[in-house]
Amino acid sequence: MDVPVTHPYALYCKGIQQLGVLQGDANGFFHPESSVTRAEFVGELIRLIGVRPSVHPVIFGECLRR
């Protein structure tokens, strides 16, 4: 884990990693100093609250053409 043991949030990071909520990358690193896009944040949030992806095809392009 790339969050130092002395960091104030280290216990929380370790806890969510052990629960399988956030795994980090293939090496278990969180990269806490990296930026996150809104889309990445929302994607993770939706995954965490258990919303399943739609089984219907995406229609955004059709909405824009109208």
Side-chain angles (χ1 to χ4, degrees):
M1 187 165 70
D2 56 343
V3 178
V5 178
T6 57
H7 191 280
Y9 298 123
L11 288 176
Y12 301 105
C13 292
K14 185 69 171 172
I16 61 173
Q17 190 177 35
Q18 289 175 337
L19 290 172
V21 175
L22 294 176
Q23 293 299 317
D25 65 11
N27 297 315
F29 295 131
F30 287 101
H31 304 283
E33 302 299 322
S34 297
S35 60
V36 176
T37 67
R38 281 181 276 194
E40 290 169 328
F41 177 78
V42 170
E44 283 296 318
L45 183 62
I46 287 176
R47 184 184 65 79
L48 290 172
I49 63 174
V51 175
R52 287 183 245 140
S54 174
V55 295
H56 303 289
V58 177
I59 60 169
F60 291 123
E62 293 176 23
C63 294
L64 294 174
R65 284 182 241 151
R66 292 183 187 175

